[in-house]
Amino acid sequence: MDDQTPATPAPAAGLPTNEQILESLKVVKDPEIPVNVVDLGLIYGVDIDANGAVDITMTLTSVGCPVQDLIRADAEMAVGRLDGVTDVSVEFVWTPPWGPDKMTEDGKRQMRMFGFNV
């Protein structure tokens, strides 16, 4: 977990941890940017309730992103595969706006490998 993602209390037994959810989200990529949504810094929050429902608050690199529905579906599928998860909800927010400063060091390194100056 990077220092910009808020920590959540430990979930009840049988439920995934915040770290496991973030790790599962690393398979979700913005098709226009070759970096996963976690390392891009798009995940603003993860909440897990006692019944296994997971709420993800995230943003995108730009308002009106044409792949918003694809990213939502990929995130729901990735987290929904975890043991103990009964439901996944993804909410997109635009405040605070995303910027390269939200990226993890791994994300910045990956972007530099693809020729981006971050």
Side-chain angles (χ1 to χ4, degrees), residues 4-105:
Q4 295 179 2
T5 304
T8 56
L15 296 177
T17 64
N18 191 46
E19 289 78 17
Q20 288 170 319
I21 291 171
L22 290 173
E23 191 63 33
S24 73
L25 286 168
K26 286 186 177 183
V27 302
V28 180
K29 295 186 178 180
D30 181 326
E32 299 173 333
I33 303 173
V35 179
N36 70 70
V37 296
V38 174
D39 287 328
L40 275 173
L42 300 179
I43 306 300
Y44 285 178
V46 173
D47 292 310
I48 311 158
D49 77 11
N51 297 317
V54 178
D55 291 321
I56 300 166
T57 304
M58 66 182 295
T59 195
L60 297 170
T61 56
S62 65
V63 175
C65 177
V67 293
Q68 178 175 335
D69 291 339
L70 175 65
I71 292 173
R72 177 193 314 269
D74 287 352
E76 289 172 349
M77 190 177 342
V79 174
R81 291 180 178 146
L82 293 173
D83 288 341
V85 172
T86 59
D87 186 47
V88 182
S89 172
V90 176
E91 177 186 3
F92 290 102
V93 297
W94 309 108
T95 304
W98 178 85
D101 60 307
K102 300 205 180 314
M103 296 172 66
T104 66
E105 286 307 312

